Amino acid sequence: MKKIYGKIIEHYESCLEKHGDNHLGVDWPKLEDVDKRYKVMLDIIRLNEANDHEVSLLDFGCGTAHLLAYIQHHNLQNIVYSGLDISQKFVDVAQEKYPNNSFYCVDILEAEDSLDHFDYVIMNGVFTEKRELSYAEMWDYFTKMISIIYNKCNKGFSFNVMSKNVDWEREDLFHVSHDALSQFLCQNLTRDYVIRNDYGLYEYTVYVLKK
């Protein structure tokens, strides 16, 4: 059966084919915003841990592992990195660049039990675009995914979605209100979360913590 989120996968694979292994290849339009997102995503670890405490991290939707390049560039030696992407094309590029790291090509909606547990899971850009999906279809996909990830992380996970506090909303992006998200998290996962909206982009990041 054709996956309803197949359009999203096809879109990102077309970006990789068109632009190659760079920020445009994972459909981030501005290079200057990329490192800002990585820092904000990784701050969930700084929020929760001593700097020298080693943690395992799964980069969920890793693309070609640009987050790992950021981690190495900033010498964040306490992070044991693994990557996961639903696209074999992205995983192949990442594994070739970083043969000593583990990369998984898994659809967790179909093979949840095949994935190990990690201290932290980062989902950067996984839920910002909905492409041709309706809001209801994307909401169903999004909430199923974060519910599984909540059970797969030991300490917490972070993700970003598009803000509704903007001048206009794009039809192909996934704009989520703080209220709707907070209601889902409190009723289904946990009341321990942080909404971070302080880094100047038209999105926000959420840290979901397990205590």
Side-chain angles (χ1 to χ4, degrees), residues 77-88:
Q77 297 183 3
N78 63 317
I79 297 174
V80 180
Y81 176 99
S82 298
L84 179 149
D85 206 285
I86 197 170
S87 166
Q88 188 67 55

Side-chain angles (χ1 to χ4, degrees), residues 10-25:
E10 291 173 8
H11 169 71
Y12 282 105
E13 288 184 340
S14 71
C15 290
L16 178 63
E17 184 175 350
K18 181 178 181 180
H19 299 290
D21 182 12
N22 56 48
H23 66 287
L24 296 175

Side-chain angles (χ1 to χ4, degrees), residues 70-78:
Y70 178 92
I71 290 169
Q72 292 181 344
H73 178 73
H74 290 272
N75 198 30
L76 304 177
Q77 297 183 3
N78 63 317

